[in-house]
Amino acid sequence: MSISGIHLREASAERDLEEVMQIEWNSFNDWDAFPYREMTALMTRAAGLFLIAEYDGAIAGYLSFTICRRHNTGRVYSLAVAPAYRGLGVADALMERAIACAQEKGLRAVFLEVRTDNFTAIRLYEKKGFTRRFTKQSYYSDGNPAYYMARTISE
């Protein structure tokens, strides 16, 4: 998929892990950033999709989308965009692909958590059809809450 300079592809732990980790550390604080081991597992063993967004050939962001067959749902497990590429539509393109994947797989819904003070992400998710279901208090390591958001895909 390529939208105005953005190319999406599946991640390769061997090829992409180091750059993904740099984006992770630049996007989340030390306590909320995933460790190498978990990021590697998401790329190599998790059911779902781990996408890399490239912008003009450089890794600009990533999205981990997991699928729970038992409940027939998906979860945006992690989404981050490198600071230099924010505001260019990278997160939008990644979310579009995750929603398309959910539709292709016939999932009934997609869920995610987002910091209640991350207004840019909240606006994006709402634009993509997600609604706030409830607030998870003290969800993040610094004590901040998260909105639990959902989008129905099919009944």
Side-chain angles (χ1 to χ4, degrees):
M1 174 183 218
S2 186
I3 300 172
S4 57
I6 301 167
H7 173 75
L8 302 182
R9 63 174 174 79
E10 290 199 34
S12 159
E14 288 179 15
R15 176 177 167 188
D16 302 318
L17 183 61
E18 288 301 321
E19 286 184 74
V20 165
M21 291 306 300
Q22 288 299 319
I23 294 169
E24 180 78 359
W25 295 324
N26 284 321
S27 300
F28 303 104
N29 68 40
D30 291 343
W31 296 104
D32 292 323
F34 290 136
Y36 272 95
R37 188 174 75 232
E38 187 166 358
M39 195 65 77
T40 302
L42 287 169
M43 284 184 183
T44 60
R45 294 190 304 275
L49 183 64
F50 199 112
L51 291 174
I52 297 295
E54 293 179 331
Y55 190 91
D56 290 337
I59 294 179
Y62 74 85
L63 178 135
S64 175
F65 179 74
T66 59
I67 295 173
C68 176
R69 289 281 170 219
R70 181 175 172 204
H71 295 108
N72 199 34
T73 59
R75 179 176 179 212
V76 176
Y77 200 78
S78 186
L79 168 64
V81 176
Y85 298 96
R86 292 180 184 157
L88 300 175
V90 174
D92 190 275
L94 287 164
M95 286 299 296
E96 276 296 311
R97 182 63 193 111
I99 292 166
C101 176
Q103 291 167 333
E104 291 161 11
K105 302 277 186 197
L107 303 182
R108 63 178 184 81
V110 175
F111 304 100
L112 59 84
E113 291 89 9
V114 60
R115 286 178 70 100
T116 58
D117 60 359
N118 189 343
F119 306 114
T120 302
I122 293 165
R123 275 193 305 278
L124 171 66
Y125 301 144
E126 288 176 340
K127 182 176 110 177
K128 296 297 176 193
F130 286 79
T131 58
R132 299 175 206 181
R133 293 282 175 95
F134 56 87
T135 302
K136 292 183 172 185
Q137 299 300 327
S138 301
Y139 183 77
Y140 293 97
S141 62
D142 61 3
N144 276 306
Y147 290 129
Y148 183 78
M149 300 183 78
R151 177 188 163 153
T152 300
I153 302 296
S154 64
E155 293 302 320

